[in-house]
Amino acid sequence: MKQKTLIIIGVVIVFILLFAWIYLLFFGTPQDPKQVFSDLGFGGEEETGIVIPPPIEEPLPETPAERPKLRQLTTRPVVGFVEVQATTTDPVTVYYAEAGTGHIYEVDPLSGNEKRISNTTIAEASYATFSPLGDYVAVRSGHDRRANSITLGTLNKTDGSLDTEP
């Protein structure tokens, strides 16, 4: 085949494509959806199949809330706390250690009454942890830049001291 023939065939194809593009651009929009020759059935049609309803979810049983809503118990900075309940019939009390002084307080969460139960001062207290029953406490003092010391002790609620002797 000659080069001249290939060029003529290419130009004819370009003109046909250009004419089809112009026709579809201005006159190709169908007035009725049934006029679309390439309707492949994606949407717009009602399905005649079986409709399976979604499974019905059973509501979860409601459990009564045993505790009141969250509220603030103190305005002092706290470095550690524990909720203590000696027996199941006793009310819940909260023990917490104050930042900086290391004083330990007891708070009744229902009434909000607060009482200091430890008069022992631990300078620069920065972290405290309690045993589950609140009998023992470990208080870390100092900053991250200096050597930290840890004070371990037993809470003596009668005389308001933190016994650090074994």
Side-chain angles (χ1 to χ4, degrees):
M1 233 192 243
K2 294 183 177 179
Q3 185 179 10
K4 191 177 188 182
T5 310
L6 286 175
I7 292 175
I8 292 174
I9 292 174
V11 169
V12 169
I13 291 175
V14 168
F15 276 123
I16 291 173
L17 290 175
L18 183 65
F19 175 75
W21 180 74
I22 291 173
Y23 174 77
L24 291 175
L25 181 66
F26 293 109
F27 307 108
T29 307
Q31 302 299 325
D32 185 23
K34 297 194 185 276
Q35 291 178 348
V36 178
F37 68 90
S38 63
D39 186 12
L40 300 176
F42 298 124
E45 298 177 5
E46 293 185 22
E47 295 183 15
T48 58
I50 299 171
V51 177
I52 300 173
I56 299 171
E57 295 182 13
E58 296 180 15
L60 296 174
E62 293 184 21
T63 57
E66 297 177 7
R67 297 183 180 206
K69 293 181 181 180
L70 183 66
R71 63 187 178 99
Q72 183 175 354
L73 295 177
T74 185
T75 57
R76 292 184 173 90
V78 176
V79 292
F81 75 96
V82 67
E83 289 183 351
V84 177
Q85 188 175 15
T87 64
T88 56
T89 58
D90 289 344
V92 175
T93 58
V94 176
Y95 293 161
Y96 73 89
E98 183 180 17
T101 63
H103 292 156
I104 298 171
Y105 291 85
E106 176 183 23
V107 178
D108 181 11
L110 298 176
S111 66
N113 293 336
E114 187 174 35
K115 181 175 94 172
R116 188 164 81 177
I117 58 174
S118 168
N119 293 327
T120 305
T121 300
I122 301 170
E124 297 180 4
S126 60
Y127 181 77
T129 185
F130 293 84
S131 65
L133 294 177
D135 296 335
Y136 304 100
V137 65
V139 180
R140 182 180 70 188
S141 61
H143 292 59
D144 292 335
R145 295 185 187 129
R146 292 189 273 166
N148 298 331
S149 64
I150 297 176
T151 304
L152 299 172
T154 305
L155 283 175
N156 189 348
K157 298 171 197 157
T158 57
D159 64 354
S161 66
L162 183 66
D163 299 332
T164 57
E165 298 294 324

